């Protein structure tokens, strides 16, 4: 068991990769505080982990709100008396708009969830980690955080920001026994395409980006990202810090 007795927060745990990360972590012995807005989905997930060495505790939160991004960390620490692993996974896509077409509402919402929420949660968590003398942060970024044309301007900028925060945090706290890494997935079969801004995509933007998807050998399953998260969460990756691990089936190797 790779995470026996560890306390983890996993955001965006009601669907997709976050759900599989929370499930796998609990299977590996962790006490997982699973965060999302849809309470019933989280309750179902908690039930699915019954009988595991670890368990899943739902926290309902809207991470576009600063107070919620901070509360999830405070609640976990107060409830369990410790915090070992923070997985910032919750995120939404934009509508593929180039910068000239971006509406303020989308800019604010995507940045609130994809950048500000991890920022506020990490800030809280790091101060707990410093007191404890250890901690581990995993951010789910994207290959859109490493390359310029996997999404629109807002999503691309938000994931580049998360990659920057990952590297800065990894290095700043490297001597404090705190690690911070990112996973950069390629296309993964989840509910992300049903997000608010994907319902009405920018035709010009998607037209420019779509040809780059032709070279993608295949899409991934959320469980194939969960195993990468487990590696980063466990001591197996003790010397890996400030890095972005691409999991894309080889797409960006082209
Ligand atoms: P899904 O849409 O399947 O799941 C998103 C999760 O985020 C859900 O649990 C959702 O729960 C939660 N969430 C959304 N909005 C909020 C909010 N305001 N407050 C709290 N939780 C919220 O997405 P994926 O699993 O695909 O995405 C996970 C991460 O992976 C994201 O950061 C995404 O950008 C990234 N990614 C995804 C790729 C893909 O191809 N799928 C590729 C590369 C990166 P609820 O609605 O219940 O709140």
């Amino acid at each position: 068991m790779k995470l026996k007795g560890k306390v983890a927060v996993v955001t965006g745990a009601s669907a997709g990769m976050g759900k599989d990360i929370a499930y796998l972590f609990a299977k590996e012995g962790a006490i997982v505080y699973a965060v999302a807005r849809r309470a019933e989905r989280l309750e179902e997930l908690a039930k699915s982990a019954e009988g595991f060495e670890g368990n899943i505790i739902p926290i309902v939160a809207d991470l576009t709100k600063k107070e919620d991004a901070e509360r999830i960390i405070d609640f976990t620490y107060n409830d369990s008396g410790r915090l070992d692993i923070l997985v910032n996974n919750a995120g939404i896509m934009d509508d593929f708009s180039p910068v000239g077409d971006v509406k303020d509402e989308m800019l604010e919402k995507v940045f609130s969830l994809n950048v500000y929420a991890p920022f506020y949660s990490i800030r809280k968590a790091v101060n707990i980690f410093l007191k404890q003398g250890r901690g581990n942060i995993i951010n789910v970024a994207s290959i859109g955080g490493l390359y310029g044309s996997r999404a629109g301007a807002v999503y691309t900028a938000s994931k580049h920001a998360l990659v920057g925060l990952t590297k800065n945090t990894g290095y700043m706290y490297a001597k404090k026994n705190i690690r911070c890494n990112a996973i950069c997935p390629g296309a993964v079969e989840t509910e992300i395409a049903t997000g608010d801004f994907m319902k009405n995509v920018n035709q010009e933007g998607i037209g420019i980006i779509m040809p780059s998807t032709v070279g993608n050998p295949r899409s991934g399953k959320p469980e194939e990202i969960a195993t990468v998260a487990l590696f980063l969460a466990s001591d197996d990756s003790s010397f890996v810090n400030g890095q972005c691990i691409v999991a894309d089936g080889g797409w960006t190797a082209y």
Side-chain angles (χ1 to χ4, degrees), residues 12 14-15 17 37-38 62-63 89 141 155 159 186 188 190-191:
S14 64
M17 302 179 213
R37 291 166 303 179
R38 285 171 290 181
D62 179 354
L63 294 172
N89 163 78
Y155 186 84
K159 293 298 186 179
V188 180
T190 68
E191 294 175 16

